[in-house]
Every structure is written in structure tokens, then in C-alpha cells.
Amino acid sequence: YHPADSHGNFPGFPDEDTTEGGRRIDYDELEHDPSERRPGGPVAELVLRGLTPEAYRQKWLLPLVLFLVALLLQSVGLHLGTRRYVAWMAALDGRLHLTSGPDGEEARRLHVLEHLRPQDNFAALVGAPREASEDVVDLVAWCLPLVWACLCVGTRNVRLWSRTLAAGAAIALLKG
């Protein structure tokens, strides 16, 4: 430890590219982690070539099946949440109907219900109309995973396939 001088400068601060022993840091060795095989490299090819056809199919199908099961569980969770929300809104609407009297009460009841429904804050921010066409967004949303899947299968990159589907499955489970 060296304290700073009166101007806030530290004496003898080493150069960024050197270590305390004076050796230069080789940043190229940080690019490749020797404990991890490169996709499509010779070691990866040997590992995949040594597999039986059944094991090779399982390497592709198991992550896909896990991802699809996670999507199913997400859909079940979203369905249950939506069902509970609709029941809550119906009960709230029933309670507000019991308290409505003059016309002012009816307007207040509708105002309360309007603020309790889900809002699309992003669409309100950009000023999108309520009945905007979503065809372009749907097309992009379906094309992006399709292009990714074609690239993974075309390059036979099982690692990217497995890791991406595992991450997608985790996100789907957390969302549902």
C-alpha cells in the first residue's frame, strides 16, 4: 500500500499491461479457455463421432424436450394466473355493482375498473394506437428462433443448441 500525495496521485503505480513482477500480460491466452472445447474443433468432432446414433439423437432431443416441458409448465402457470385475475376482477365488479347508486357512482365504478386492468405502458409511451396490427412483430418473433434453429442444426453445434434451450427453459419456468 502506498498512500496518495497531496494532489491525489499514487506513486509508483504500475503500467496496466504489466504485473508486479514486471512481466507483460498476454491477453491472447484469455481468449481460449483450455478447459473448454471449441465448437466444431477436433476434440468436439471426436467426441461426437464416437457416439452411437441413438446417443447423438438424444443430445439433440433432450434439450428440446426439456424446453417444451418448461413451456408447457409456463403456459399452465400463466393460465392459472389469468384465471385468478379474471375471478378477482369479477368479484370486484360484483362488489362495485352492489355499491353503485346514482349515475356518478356508475362513472366512478367504471373509472376504478379502467385503472385496474393490465396496461401496456410501452405502447402508451410511443403513442401506438390500441388496435395496431401486430403482424410484423409476430413474423419477426417467429423468424428469429427459426433462423437460430437452422443455424444450430446446419453447423451441428450441439453445445449452442443445448445451452440456449436450457437458458430458455429456465426463463420459461421463472416466468410461468
Side-chain angles (χ1 to χ4, degrees):
Y1 173 75
H2 301 284
D5 61 11
S6 62
H7 299 289
N9 298 322
F10 291 93
F13 195 70
D15 186 18
E16 290 180 9
D17 291 340
T18 59
T19 61
E20 288 184 18
R23 295 183 317 158
R24 303 243 346 128
I25 298 174
D26 182 16
Y27 289 110
D28 290 333
E29 80 177 23
L30 298 177
E31 271 184 36
H32 176 66
D33 183 5
S35 67
E36 188 171 316
R37 296 187 315 266
R38 289 184 186 266
V43 176
E45 286 298 321
L46 285 174
V47 168
L48 292 177
R49 194 176 302 138
L51 293 176
T52 64
E54 181 65 27
Y56 187 72
R57 266 193 304 276
Q58 285 180 356
K59 278 194 170 283
W60 285 95
L61 290 178
L62 185 63
L64 181 63
V65 168
L66 291 176
F67 179 70
L68 292 175
V69 167
L71 284 181
L72 174 71
L73 292 175
Q74 173 198 11
S75 295
V76 168
L78 289 175
H79 173 73
L80 293 175
T82 303
R83 185 174 172 209
R84 185 173 178 156
Y85 175 77
V86 168
W88 174 61
M89 290 303 290
L92 183 64
D93 187 40
R95 280 186 286 190
L96 287 175
H97 269 300
L98 293 176
T99 60
S100 66
D103 290 336
E105 287 289 323
E106 182 70 21
R108 196 186 80 175
R109 181 182 68 81
L110 291 174
H111 181 72
V112 167
L113 288 177
E114 180 71 24
H115 286 290
L116 287 176
R117 72 172 197 191
Q119 303 289 323
D120 188 355
N121 295 331
F122 183 74
L125 179 70
V126 296
R130 289 185 179 246
E131 300 301 321
S133 173
E134 298 176 357
D135 294 338
V136 175
V137 175
D138 288 341
L139 180 67
V140 171
W142 278 104
C143 285
L144 191 62
L146 184 65
V147 168
W148 168 82
C150 290
L151 286 174
C152 282
V153 172
T155 58
R156 296 177 27 189
N157 193 340
V158 180
R159 178 184 300 166
L160 179 63
W161 174 264
S162 300
R163 289 182 178 182
T164 306
L165 288 178
I171 290 170
L173 285 175
L174 292 174
K175 181 181 176 188

